[in-house]
Amino acid sequence: SFSDSARWNRFIMESIFALFFLCVTGTHVSCSPGPLEDVVIDRYDIPRVCPREVQTGDFVRYHYNGTFTDGKKFDSSHERGAPFSGQVGLGRLITGLDRGVQGMCVNERRKVTVPPHLAYGSIGAGDVIPADTVLVFDVVLLDIWNTEDKVQTRTLSKPESCKRLAEATDFIRYHYNGTLLNGVPFDSSHSRNGTYDTYVGMGYLIKGMDEGLIGMCVGETRTIIIPPFLAYEEKGYGTVIPSQATLVFEVFMIDLFNPKDDIAVVVKEVPKTCTRKTVVGDYIRYHYNGTFQDGSGFDTSYQRNSTYNTYIGMGYVIQGMDKALQGLCIGEKRRVILPPHMAYGEKGTGDIIPGSAVLVFDIHVIDFHNPKDLIEIKVTSKPKKCNLTSEVDDLIQYRYNCSLMDGTLLYSSDHYEKAPITTLGANKVIEGLDEGLRGMCVGEKRVVIVPPHLGHGENGAKGVPSSAVLHFELELLDLQKGVPDGYMFVWLGDSPDPLFPAMDLNKDLSVPLEEFTAFINIQVVEGTGRLRPGMDADGIIKDMFNNQDRNRDGKIVAEELKLKVEEDSDKARHEEL
């Protein structure tokens, strides 16, 4: 009946469709029991990841080997060394291949068997392909793109903080690996051990790369896929990039800046008290860590265990650092970002800093001073009664702590059994300390800041760094008034006149050592004379006696006293003692 016939025809059509579906989807079945009605597809190698399949209107690039069913080869793009490129589904390929490559993934391999009526039909193709011949194409898809495609970007990794994005006119430094869409590499900055450095958005790059780099952070890694018409188009590039090739770049952004950038400063830590800030002409000592924007280090003063010492604003350091070091407090910590035009420029320096590198410095100010600085004195404690103060030639005993300005203790009198004793003005201690100990009362405490030119200078001393500003905590423990350099005894008022009768206590016209000693001690007790402090009094008095006992007979007589005539006066005065 008609209904039975219809069901039979429907069964036949469904069977043919099922067979065609199995062939197209790559299921291994026997697909040639008779004359072929459509292409037969064997998808014998399918990539695990297939983000895109060929559709009508797409452009493709593929390699192929063309054979007859007996395996005889009639054509091969491999042998020509040039893959086939064309558009799918618009009649520019033989119909069988147009159908055979649809649904393919990049790097997929498939065998496409094309019946004659979907190939070269009853005419054939010259002497190469006879009429009514079944053709077998072994195809590997290399590339796929469409005129509607846009640049594709995918972020692979990104730093947690991203304070700045790449914009047009920025200058950037980045590493990249470049491959074709099928994964074949064509170039890599890593292999050259040097970044690619360029302006972005200004036409120095292929259009797709210019677009793909916009919006990247330093430290970000992203994949950029560029269709051929935004890359090297039909011309390709030499022997490494074929015509109409989609390009894939994996980019890692090293740093970026703009030629209009100034230095950027981030204050990390400021001391509670800051009585003074650095200015041009100051000499500064600071520690630093130097890194690039991606965090990799290039230098550190900490590793050398030595500060960096320099004048500020006088051209001894790179321009950006000269500027960044101004306005700092002792103890301040800050991060400074220097664009290349304020650092080492396009050339960089040696093998350490590449050309056009943005530099990041983390700075810790240890101290600074000006070559014109005097000592600074701050009295922290002073007795209510202060009738006697220290001055040049005085013998003093004092307690001290000496530190760097960051608080590092260098040395202390507490480390010794006895506090030091010195004569002021006798070059026994550094100049700044000597000056800082003057004008003090016994029991007074003060803080004295000594600049290096009044301290240990550029050379430093044992345990004291070069050009270090010193912080002294002082306390005066004892004070003995002194005598001028070169003298053992001085009168505190007018000396007796005449002198010898005053010395001759028993009035026998001679003064032995015992009588001379008694006379001098009387002057000291009554406050009319002073012996040099810090020395044995009996020894000093004996030396004084011997100086006057000219004939060494153990006594002084009036004629032995020395008289000195002033060159600028007719008067004579006694300097015997």
Side-chain angles (χ1 to χ4, degrees), residues 287-343:
H287 272 301
Y288 69 89
N289 284 319
T291 63
F292 300 115
Q293 282 201 98
D294 64 356
S296 57
F298 61 83
D299 192 19
T300 174
S301 64
Y302 295 99
Q303 192 173 40
R304 295 188 294 273
N305 196 30
S306 175
T307 57
Y308 191 86
N309 308 336
T310 186
Y311 286 96
I312 299 172
M314 299 177 68
Y316 290 102
V317 292
I318 53 178
Q319 180 186 355
M321 185 62 80
D322 241 356
K323 185 174 182 179
L325 291 173
Q326 298 176 37
L328 286 159
C329 304
I330 289 178
E332 181 173 341
K333 296 180 180 179
R334 61 169 55 176
R335 170 167 288 185
V336 181
I337 302 172
L338 309 182
H341 51 276
M342 299 188 76

Side-chain angles (χ1 to χ4, degrees), residues 381-440:
S381 177
K382 193 171 185 177
K384 292 182 179 180
K385 292 183 179 181
C386 182
N387 299 322
L388 196 65
T389 60
S390 57
E391 59 185 349
V392 172
D393 296 324
D394 287 350
L395 187 73
I396 63 168
Q397 186 174 29
Y398 63 99
R399 176 183 172 273
Y400 70 90
N401 288 317
C402 178
S403 306
L404 299 177
M405 296 302 290
D406 64 355
T408 302
L409 182 65
L410 297 178
Y411 38 81
S412 170
S413 60
D414 296 338
H415 297 160
Y416 304 94
E417 293 183 2
K418 186 179 179 181
I421 297 174
T422 190
T423 301
L424 293 178
N427 296 321
K428 301 297 184 182
V429 295
I430 58 174
E431 183 179 352
L433 177 58
D434 195 286
E435 186 178 341
L437 287 165
R438 299 175 193 176
M440 292 185 75

Side-chain angles (χ1 to χ4, degrees), residues 223-253:
T223 298
I224 303 173
I225 302 176
I226 304 173
F229 57 88
L230 295 176
Y232 292 99
E233 304 178 299
E234 293 183 2
K235 294 181 180 180
Y237 190 85
T239 59
V240 292
I241 298 177
S243 171
Q244 301 290 22
T246 301
L247 305 183
V248 181
F249 291 92
E250 185 176 289
V251 176
F252 176 64
M253 184 71 75

Side-chain angles (χ1 to χ4, degrees), residues 123 145 226 378 384 419 442 445 447 467 479 550:
I123 299 175
W145 59 277
I226 304 173
K378 180 181 179 182
K384 292 182 179 180
V442 173
K445 296 180 181 180
V447 171
S467 300
L479 167 62
R550 306 300 178 92

Side-chain angles (χ1 to χ4, degrees), residues 108-378:
E108 179 182 341
R109 295 177 181 272
R110 58 171 60 175
K111 183 178 289 186
V112 181
T113 304
V114 182
H117 65 280
L118 297 178
Y120 294 97
S122 58
I123 299 175
D127 298 331
V128 179
I129 299 175
D132 297 320
T133 302
V134 175
L135 305 180
V136 179
F137 293 92
D138 197 324
V139 180
V140 55
L141 187 63
L142 306 177
D143 202 344
I144 173 176
W145 59 277
N146 194 286
T147 54
E148 301 298 321
D149 287 349
K150 297 180 180 180
V151 173
Q152 300 176 53
T153 62
R154 182 165 64 93
T155 298
L156 303 179
S157 65
K158 194 172 185 178
E160 292 182 3
S161 61
C162 181
K163 297 180 180 179
R164 180 172 182 176
L165 305 176
E167 300 176 354
T169 74
D170 281 345
F171 192 91
I172 62 174
R173 296 174 56 242
Y174 61 93
H175 270 301
Y176 70 88
N177 289 316
T179 65
L180 303 178
L181 194 60
N182 64 335
V184 174
F186 62 82
D187 193 17
S188 172
S189 64
H190 297 281
S191 64
R192 295 190 297 274
N193 197 30
T195 56
Y196 193 86
D197 308 341
T198 185
Y199 288 95
V200 65
M202 297 180 66
Y204 291 101
L205 300 166
I206 56 175
K207 293 179 181 179
M209 185 62 90
D210 248 352
E211 182 180 336
L213 292 168
I214 296 293
M216 284 192 75
C217 301
V218 171
E220 178 180 345
T221 302
R222 69 166 52 173
T223 298
I224 303 173
I225 302 176
I226 304 173
F229 57 88
L230 295 176
Y232 292 99
E233 304 178 299
E234 293 183 2
K235 294 181 180 180
Y237 190 85
T239 59
V240 292
I241 298 177
S243 171
Q244 301 290 22
T246 301
L247 305 183
V248 181
F249 291 92
E250 185 176 289
V251 176
F252 176 64
M253 184 71 75
I254 301 295
D255 65 28
L256 67 92
F257 71 95
N258 195 281
K260 297 179 180 179
D261 284 350
D262 199 349
I263 64 170
V265 176
V266 180
V267 177
K268 298 288 188 179
E269 183 179 324
V270 179
K272 293 181 179 179
T273 58
C274 180
T275 57
R276 177 178 172 182
K277 293 187 176 182
T278 54
V279 297
V280 172
D282 283 346
Y283 192 88
I284 187 171
R285 296 172 58 244
Y286 62 95
H287 272 301
Y288 69 89
N289 284 319
T291 63
F292 300 115
Q293 282 201 98
D294 64 356
S296 57
F298 61 83
D299 192 19
T300 174
S301 64
Y302 295 99
Q303 192 173 40
R304 295 188 294 273
N305 196 30
S306 175
T307 57
Y308 191 86
N309 308 336
T310 186
Y311 286 96
I312 299 172
M314 299 177 68
Y316 290 102
V317 292
I318 53 178
Q319 180 186 355
M321 185 62 80
D322 241 356
K323 185 174 182 179
L325 291 173
Q326 298 176 37
L328 286 159
C329 304
I330 289 178
E332 181 173 341
K333 296 180 180 179
R334 61 169 55 176
R335 170 167 288 185
V336 181
I337 302 172
L338 309 182
H341 51 276
M342 299 188 76
Y344 292 99
E346 295 181 1
K347 295 182 178 180
T349 176
D351 297 329
I352 301 173
I353 298 176
S356 301
V358 177
L359 306 183
V360 181
F361 289 93
D362 287 299
I363 296 171
H364 179 203
V365 180
I366 302 303
D367 64 38
F368 65 87
H369 71 280
N370 194 281
K372 297 179 181 179
D373 284 349
L374 304 176
I375 64 169
E376 298 177 32
I377 297 176
K378 180 181 179 182

